Amino acid sequence: MSPAAEGKRAVSGAPGPAGRMMSLDVFRGMTIAGMILVNNAAGKSYGPLEHAEWNGWTHTDLIFPFFLFIAGVSMALSFAGRINKGDSRRELFMHTVKRGAIIFGIGLWLNLFPYFFDANRYANLRIPGVLQRIGFCYIFAGAVYLFADKRARIGVIVAALLGYWAAMKLIPVPGIGAGDLSANNNLAAFIDNTIFTARHMWQHRPWDPEGLLSSVPAICTVLIGTFVGEFMLMQSTWQHKVKRLITAGMVGIAVGELWGLAFPINKNLWTSSYVVFTAGYAMLLLAACYWLIDVKGWRAWSKPFLVFGMNSVLAFTLGTFFAKNLLIYRVAGPKGTVSAYSWIAQHWFRPYFADPRNASLAFASSHVLLWLVVMWWFYEKKVFVKV
């Protein structure tokens, strides 16, 4: 493909068999392993392994947007291959809706488990969630990607990010006013509380970190990923690809930080500055993985992450399901019953570490290792669960 054709969607020159990039699978696996690690801390952990309390960011706050960014890159790669094989955009859209709905449904199922026949549980069921946001964003980003050209997609991203910023700053919340970005008083919290009510949100709070309005800029995270996916499909040298990814990544981080002075970087609100900042960071890590794995061929270190990345949704779902069962199952103790989750942390880990943060890290790491063994078995059996 000539340089003049760089703006077009390329379907030739796809990286690897069937358009797969091993580096992208590894990046996805690193993200899933990170999700399992930070979601299974047993008490106080090290700062980088905890979410920022509100404004600002930690390395934990990078994990979720990385997954959505990767979903966008994968969308561009897989859709290009299927269009090249003759699939219509309508067929791809129906596939996108089906897949997004299944992911959304799995999230609801996990929130409801195991109280499927308890009417009171439905009355207090958390509707938003991590998988629900992934499914929601996948459907809407897929629709934009399939039916809008590149210029229109850029327009959607710019309008959504600027519009979200303006809405959060200028639209008054009844009884509070405009521009309040604190946890309970911002516009996103008001909309979520009005639509869902607190009993259907995270920990029955009046706001949800995966709420409705904040999912709009999250869609932009996926769409930014689609541009990177298209770029990786272009027939150009690896040097050009790595340099462009690094440059774009550094620009994204700088713009995000600068924008954060006016609209703080905030994972719970998924602010526009957070979208740009985390997308920039994701490009840098993708560049590193691409150079190490697809260019230099240094792959031995990446096998555990590849194993996770090839069954990412399954690993996250089973890991969440297992942890939830540990939290539900009760074990007798000297001061009454405690969850099996707490009992294991207290008896198998904390006695062997002077610093409780190390005990928490060891407990979380044991979850990662457990699911690495399980996913490795699936990988060796060539069982890859796709939704």
Short mmCIF file of all heavy atoms in Angstrom, two decimals, residues 79-105:
data_model
loop_
_atom_site.label_atom_id
_atom_site.label_comp_id
_atom_site.label_asym_id
_atom_site.label_seq_id
_atom_site.Cartn_x
_atom_site.Cartn_y
_atom_site.Cartn_z
N PHE A 79 -12.39 -6.88 12.23
CA PHE A 79 -13.38 -6.44 11.26
C PHE A 79 -12.76 -6.31 9.87
O PHE A 79 -13.40 -6.63 8.86
CB PHE A 79 -14.00 -5.11 11.67
CG PHE A 79 -15.01 -5.22 12.78
CD1 PHE A 79 -15.20 -6.41 13.46
CD2 PHE A 79 -15.79 -4.13 13.15
CE1 PHE A 79 -16.12 -6.52 14.48
CE2 PHE A 79 -16.72 -4.23 14.17
CZ PHE A 79 -16.89 -5.42 14.83
N ALA A 80 -11.51 -5.87 9.81
CA ALA A 80 -10.84 -5.76 8.51
C ALA A 80 -10.73 -7.13 7.85
O ALA A 80 -10.98 -7.29 6.66
CB ALA A 80 -9.45 -5.14 8.68
N GLY A 81 -10.36 -8.12 8.65
CA GLY A 81 -10.25 -9.48 8.11
C GLY A 81 -11.57 -10.03 7.64
O GLY A 81 -11.66 -10.67 6.58
N ARG A 82 -12.64 -9.77 8.39
CA ARG A 82 -13.95 -10.31 8.02
C ARG A 82 -14.53 -9.58 6.81
O ARG A 82 -15.20 -10.20 5.97
CB ARG A 82 -14.89 -10.22 9.22
CG ARG A 82 -14.47 -11.17 10.35
CD ARG A 82 -15.46 -11.21 11.47
NE ARG A 82 -16.77 -11.70 11.02
CZ ARG A 82 -17.78 -11.97 11.84
NH1 ARG A 82 -17.64 -11.80 13.15
NH2 ARG A 82 -18.92 -12.40 11.36
N ILE A 83 -14.29 -8.27 6.72
CA ILE A 83 -14.74 -7.54 5.54
C ILE A 83 -13.99 -8.05 4.30
O ILE A 83 -14.55 -8.20 3.22
CB ILE A 83 -14.53 -6.02 5.73
CG1 ILE A 83 -15.53 -5.49 6.77
CG2 ILE A 83 -14.69 -5.27 4.41
CD1 ILE A 83 -15.31 -4.05 7.15
N ASN A 84 -12.73 -8.35 4.48
CA ASN A 84 -11.91 -8.87 3.39
C ASN A 84 -12.43 -10.23 2.91
O ASN A 84 -12.28 -10.59 1.74
CB ASN A 84 -10.46 -9.00 3.84
CG ASN A 84 -9.49 -9.05 2.67
OD1 ASN A 84 -9.71 -8.41 1.65
ND2 ASN A 84 -8.42 -9.82 2.83
N LYS A 85 -13.07 -10.98 3.82
CA LYS A 85 -13.63 -12.29 3.47
C LYS A 85 -15.04 -12.19 2.89
O LYS A 85 -15.62 -13.19 2.50
CB LYS A 85 -13.66 -13.18 4.70
CG LYS A 85 -12.28 -13.59 5.19
CD LYS A 85 -12.38 -14.43 6.46
CE LYS A 85 -10.99 -14.81 6.98
NZ LYS A 85 -11.08 -15.59 8.24
N GLY A 86 -15.60 -10.97 2.87
CA GLY A 86 -16.90 -10.78 2.26
C GLY A 86 -18.05 -10.51 3.22
O GLY A 86 -19.20 -10.37 2.78
N ASP A 87 -17.79 -10.45 4.52
CA ASP A 87 -18.87 -10.14 5.46
C ASP A 87 -19.33 -8.70 5.27
O ASP A 87 -18.52 -7.79 5.05
CB ASP A 87 -18.39 -10.32 6.90
CG ASP A 87 -18.20 -11.79 7.26
OD1 ASP A 87 -18.49 -12.64 6.41
OD2 ASP A 87 -17.76 -12.06 8.39
N SER A 88 -20.63 -8.48 5.37
CA SER A 88 -21.17 -7.13 5.23
C SER A 88 -21.07 -6.39 6.57
O SER A 88 -20.94 -7.02 7.63
CB SER A 88 -22.63 -7.18 4.79
OG SER A 88 -23.46 -7.70 5.83
N ARG A 89 -21.16 -5.08 6.50
CA ARG A 89 -21.12 -4.29 7.73
C ARG A 89 -22.35 -4.56 8.58
O ARG A 89 -22.28 -4.51 9.82
CB ARG A 89 -21.00 -2.80 7.39
CG ARG A 89 -19.68 -2.49 6.72
CD ARG A 89 -19.48 -1.00 6.48
NE ARG A 89 -18.25 -0.80 5.73
CZ ARG A 89 -17.04 -0.69 6.28
NH1 ARG A 89 -16.92 -0.78 7.58
NH2 ARG A 89 -15.98 -0.51 5.52
N ARG A 90 -23.47 -4.86 7.96
CA ARG A 90 -24.67 -5.20 8.73
C ARG A 90 -24.45 -6.49 9.52
O ARG A 90 -24.82 -6.59 10.69
CB ARG A 90 -25.88 -5.34 7.81
CG ARG A 90 -27.17 -5.65 8.55
CD ARG A 90 -28.35 -5.85 7.60
NE ARG A 90 -29.56 -6.16 8.35
CZ ARG A 90 -29.87 -7.37 8.82
NH1 ARG A 90 -29.04 -8.39 8.62
NH2 ARG A 90 -30.98 -7.56 9.49
N GLU A 91 -23.82 -7.49 8.87
CA GLU A 91 -23.54 -8.75 9.56
C GLU A 91 -22.59 -8.52 10.73
O GLU A 91 -22.78 -9.08 11.83
CB GLU A 91 -22.93 -9.75 8.57
CG GLU A 91 -23.90 -10.29 7.55
CD GLU A 91 -23.22 -11.15 6.50
OE1 GLU A 91 -22.04 -10.86 6.17
OE2 GLU A 91 -23.85 -12.09 6.01
N LEU A 92 -21.60 -7.68 10.51
CA LEU A 92 -20.65 -7.39 11.58
C LEU A 92 -21.32 -6.63 12.72
O LEU A 92 -21.02 -6.86 13.90
CB LEU A 92 -19.47 -6.58 11.04
CG LEU A 92 -18.51 -7.34 10.13
CD1 LEU A 92 -17.44 -6.41 9.58
CD2 LEU A 92 -17.86 -8.49 10.89
N PHE A 93 -22.25 -5.75 12.37
CA PHE A 93 -22.96 -5.00 13.42
C PHE A 93 -23.82 -5.94 14.26
O PHE A 93 -23.85 -5.82 15.49
CB PHE A 93 -23.82 -3.90 12.80
CG PHE A 93 -24.65 -3.16 13.82
CD1 PHE A 93 -24.04 -2.38 14.79
CD2 PHE A 93 -26.04 -3.27 13.82
CE1 PHE A 93 -24.80 -1.70 15.74
CE2 PHE A 93 -26.80 -2.60 14.77
CZ PHE A 93 -26.17 -1.81 15.72
N MET A 94 -24.53 -6.86 13.61
CA MET A 94 -25.35 -7.81 14.36
C MET A 94 -24.47 -8.67 15.27
O MET A 94 -24.85 -8.99 16.41
CB MET A 94 -26.16 -8.69 13.41
CG MET A 94 -27.18 -7.92 12.57
SD MET A 94 -28.28 -6.88 13.58
CE MET A 94 -29.12 -8.13 14.56
N HIS A 95 -23.30 -9.06 14.78
CA HIS A 95 -22.35 -9.81 15.60
C HIS A 95 -21.90 -8.96 16.80
O HIS A 95 -21.79 -9.47 17.93
CB HIS A 95 -21.15 -10.21 14.76
CG HIS A 95 -19.98 -10.72 15.56
ND1 HIS A 95 -19.95 -11.99 16.10
CD2 HIS A 95 -18.81 -10.11 15.93
CE1 HIS A 95 -18.81 -12.15 16.77
NE2 HIS A 95 -18.11 -11.04 16.67
N THR A 96 -21.66 -7.67 16.54
CA THR A 96 -21.23 -6.77 17.61
C THR A 96 -22.30 -6.64 18.68
O THR A 96 -22.00 -6.68 19.88
CB THR A 96 -20.91 -5.38 17.02
OG1 THR A 96 -19.86 -5.51 16.05
CG2 THR A 96 -20.49 -4.41 18.10
N VAL A 97 -23.54 -6.46 18.26
CA VAL A 97 -24.64 -6.34 19.23
C VAL A 97 -24.77 -7.62 20.05
O VAL A 97 -24.94 -7.57 21.28
CB VAL A 97 -25.96 -6.02 18.50
CG1 VAL A 97 -27.14 -6.10 19.46
CG2 VAL A 97 -25.90 -4.64 17.86
N LYS A 98 -24.70 -8.75 19.37
CA LYS A 98 -24.82 -10.04 20.07
C LYS A 98 -23.71 -10.21 21.09
O LYS A 98 -23.96 -10.58 22.25
CB LYS A 98 -24.80 -11.19 19.05
CG LYS A 98 -24.89 -12.56 19.69
CD LYS A 98 -24.82 -13.67 18.64
CE LYS A 98 -24.85 -15.05 19.29
NZ LYS A 98 -24.75 -16.13 18.27
N ARG A 99 -22.49 -9.93 20.66
CA ARG A 99 -21.36 -10.11 21.57
C ARG A 99 -21.44 -9.15 22.75
O ARG A 99 -21.23 -9.54 23.90
CB ARG A 99 -20.05 -9.90 20.81
CG ARG A 99 -18.84 -10.24 21.64
CD ARG A 99 -17.54 -9.99 20.91
NE ARG A 99 -16.42 -10.51 21.67
CZ ARG A 99 -15.16 -10.14 21.50
NH1 ARG A 99 -14.86 -9.22 20.59
NH2 ARG A 99 -14.19 -10.65 22.24
N GLY A 100 -21.76 -7.89 22.46
CA GLY A 100 -21.87 -6.91 23.54
C GLY A 100 -22.97 -7.27 24.52
O GLY A 100 -22.81 -7.12 25.74
N ALA A 101 -24.10 -7.76 24.01
CA ALA A 101 -25.22 -8.14 24.88
C ALA A 101 -24.85 -9.33 25.76
O ALA A 101 -25.23 -9.38 26.94
CB ALA A 101 -26.45 -8.47 24.03
N ILE A 102 -24.12 -10.29 25.21
CA ILE A 102 -23.70 -11.45 26.00
C ILE A 102 -22.76 -11.01 27.12
O ILE A 102 -22.90 -11.44 28.29
CB ILE A 102 -23.02 -12.50 25.11
CG1 ILE A 102 -24.05 -13.14 24.17
CG2 ILE A 102 -22.35 -13.58 25.97
CD1 ILE A 102 -23.44 -14.08 23.14
N ILE A 103 -21.79 -10.15 26.81
CA ILE A 103 -20.87 -9.66 27.83
C ILE A 103 -21.63 -8.89 28.91
O ILE A 103 -21.38 -9.07 30.11
CB ILE A 103 -19.78 -8.78 27.19
CG1 ILE A 103 -18.89 -9.63 26.27
CG2 ILE A 103 -18.92 -8.11 28.25
CD1 ILE A 103 -17.90 -8.83 25.45
N PHE A 104 -22.57 -8.05 28.49
CA PHE A 104 -23.40 -7.30 29.44
C PHE A 104 -24.18 -8.28 30.32
O PHE A 104 -24.26 -8.11 31.55
CB PHE A 104 -24.37 -6.39 28.67
CG PHE A 104 -25.09 -5.40 29.53
CD1 PHE A 104 -24.64 -4.09 29.63
CD2 PHE A 104 -26.22 -5.76 30.25
CE1 PHE A 104 -25.32 -3.17 30.43
CE2 PHE A 104 -26.89 -4.85 31.05
CZ PHE A 104 -26.44 -3.55 31.13
N GLY A 105 -24.75 -9.32 29.70
CA GLY A 105 -25.54 -10.30 30.45
C GLY A 105 -24.70 -11.08 31.45
O GLY A 105 -25.17 -11.38 32.56
#
